[in-house]
Amino acid sequence: MTAEERKNLHAFQHYVIKTLDPTYILSYMSPWFKDDVVQHIQAEKNNKGPMEAASLFLKLLLELQEEGWFRGFLDALTHAGYSGLYEAIESWDFQKLERLEEYRSLLKRLQPEFKTTVNPKDILPEVSKCLISQECEEIMQICSNKGLMAGAEKMVEYFLRSDKENWPKTLKLALEREESQFSELWTVDKGAKNVEMKVLEDDEMETSDIQIFYKEESECQNLSQNSCPSSEVSHIYTPMKLRNYQQELALPAMEGKNSIICAPTGCGKTLVSLFICEHHLKKLPQGQKGKVVFFANQLPLYEQQTSVFSNYFERLGYKVAGVSGATSENVSVELIVENNDIIILTPQILVNSFKNGTIPSLSVFTLMIFDECHNTGKHHPYNMIMFNYLDQKLGGSSDPLPQVIGLTASVGTGDAKNTAEAMEYICRLCASLDTSVIATVKDNLEELEEIVYKPQKFFRKVESRTTDRFKCIISQLMRETESLVKSVFDEIGTISLENMSHIQYREFGTQKYEQWISTFQKACSVFQLPDKDEESRICKALFLYTSHLRKYNDALIINEDARMKDALDYLKNFYTNVRAAGFDETEQDLTRRFDEKLQELESVSVDPSNENPKLNDLCFILQEEYHLNPESRTILFVKTRALVNALKKWIEENAELSFLKPGKLTGRGKTNQNIGMTLPEQKCALDTFKTNGDNKILIATSVADEGIDIAECNLVILYEYVGNVIKMIQTRGRGRARGSKCFLLTSNAVVIEKEKTNLYKEKMMNDSISMLQTWNEAVFKEKILQIQIQEKLIRDSQGKVEPVPDKENKKLLCRKCKAFACNTVDIRVVESIYSQKFDCLETS
């Protein structure tokens, strides 16, 4: 800690004293506070209260001279849940905490009414994210032991100390949902406009870039399941018949207007795009030849849309072709564009073509259709394409520009905290796509609702294990491994242990711990010592230790949501592979430590008392739903690939569920040495789920809410799977069949409340669209133009300076062991993707 930081902490100590209950973080400060000091602070709280205890704590904290205490203090705040105080100290900006003062004053005045009218147990699930977990537990305990009034009084006390800037608004929403009379007294709008603009920011940080969409599924891949009877499919080509709501969506585009078509999954937006495309090609003035480009953001979507457009338009005599990253090396993009009427592209292909000059201008196209157009932002390829378009538009070029159509189930709301900000965000998206119309279904809603069935949503709180011996054993192995990491730093003695403080308070079995490992390994990859042999030895040891920590962390995640047996099998498989590899002294030591605990782990994993109660609830839901409807089709969403495999194995080995014959669907990428499914494997899994009646359940990661066309299903289960409003609506959109259901199963009550909050955010987006649709079109176009001019000025002022290449040949070393991998002259660049002829370079 620097002298300036110490001075700042002293200067802003009154914020810490008013907010912090030091007893919640003392357990994380044990490296710096001895037991007698801890007891002294605890006694100060018991005798005089938390503010006096915080004052004493801060005094003792500022007297510390040991290295790393400041970082340890910040980590302790994070671990205990003091995110607002952490943020303020990290940036030395306490304005957000200061703005809460007027709400604290108001709540103090209203306290007598609060405790007589508010049932704290009713609103606690809604407001718990604004409090510390220990505080929530204490409120419930006081309610049980002393009554609701005492609990409400304690809740007020904790609100007055809350560091969450959104607690006033969250409390307001909770009171309104419970229809509490106190809601009329608790006003967060009057006299507090600045705060209201910020009150949702904490939530929005979790749901930033709120693109509320279903992730388009290329409906025409199976038109019969979305918008047309199966008998129409083979005869749909001439003429195409649209439903009334689909005609409503298509109308602005058919009038030649640049527009965004925003409508829910399953309503047939791809069918609408086919209709627009056909109308465009047929209605161009005589002598003018049309050329359409359809952009699909992901490879599976590209494959599906290429098939859909080819099947439809080739029977009408049009030429259709596609190019993706997987095929671009084998074909000429220039010739594909020149020789075809309709071209399906992954967007990066066109970006690369602009760079190398094979496609000089967008004027070669007469219509551009962007699937999943809400992605048009920042450095996304969609935005790179539209930068080219807007430069041509604003640069005064006389060359014609293509019409632009966007398809999405949601335009999104970005980081907006209220309707006004959401409207501004949507205007910026329209400016990026140069669209002046947002087409939604308004006049034919009844017809739309007959086609698109919104699944009934259920929230189910499930229980976790009350005791977990497996976790205790693995956690002890992780602590031992962390000690080995620390010993390496102690050995070299030249690196501050300040950075190591990040490891000491991370919770095992979490994504945060995984993130720490990734960050730590990146730091190790650039670590240097004068003695290169020593450097190589140190780096290798650190990578081995953290690799084992990662596997232990993965196992704890599996154990939390699946069987202990599956988590143990995951580790046993890992150590089998370790033994089969180099198996040096470090790995032998780590393997020995695991082997010493293996017998005990085997014992606890087969103990029936250690069964996961979450799985019992999942089993009950599946049995109940298949009893009601034996023909049910289910998609089960989970967080990780390892969990997909674990649950698939559990279902197959469960006598009551094995009839479901589960399939699985995961991403294609490689993460942590875990190879995903190849594209053919994904296709096979999807085809099997669509066509094989025996395959009744598909277990999937987020790849299944990323736009891949999935057969009609009537049951969606989100198993500890919720992150933001995007995933909520994506996965909800999978249940297409009439009477479909969507279950959220979680052991965390706060997660359920967050999911309910996502519904509120969805409404904000819909309200914003409706308000924008009332604007005069000329006014809207002028607003869009001003945004475009402003954004172009910013882009031009931030022009990139091309780096000067270093032509000197250099050796590249393996980042793990620092062994020679190859020379820089061996590297080649193909379409902005690095590759070379030695497999070992992927570790360098």
Side-chain angles (χ1 to χ4, degrees), residues 298-314:
Q298 300 173 32
L299 192 57
L301 272 174
Y302 161 82
E303 298 271 352
Q304 291 174 358
Q305 301 293 46
T306 301
S307 174
V308 167
F309 275 76
S310 297
N311 290 338
Y312 181 77
F313 281 104
E314 286 178 355

Side-chain angles (χ1 to χ4, degrees), residues 608-626:
S609 66
N610 290 326
E611 286 185 2
N612 195 333
K614 291 184 185 182
L615 294 179
N616 294 334
D617 282 310
L618 177 58
C619 181
F620 175 81
I621 288 176
L622 288 170
Q623 286 182 297
E624 183 75 9
E625 292 302 317
Y626 278 91

Side-chain angles (χ1 to χ4, degrees), residues 273-292:
S273 72
L274 289 173
F275 185 80
I276 293 169
C277 184
E278 182 179 358
H279 178 272
H280 175 83
L281 292 171
K282 289 182 175 180
K283 300 300 181 181
L284 282 172
Q286 190 172 3
Q288 185 178 354
K289 183 175 175 60
K291 192 175 292 289
V292 178

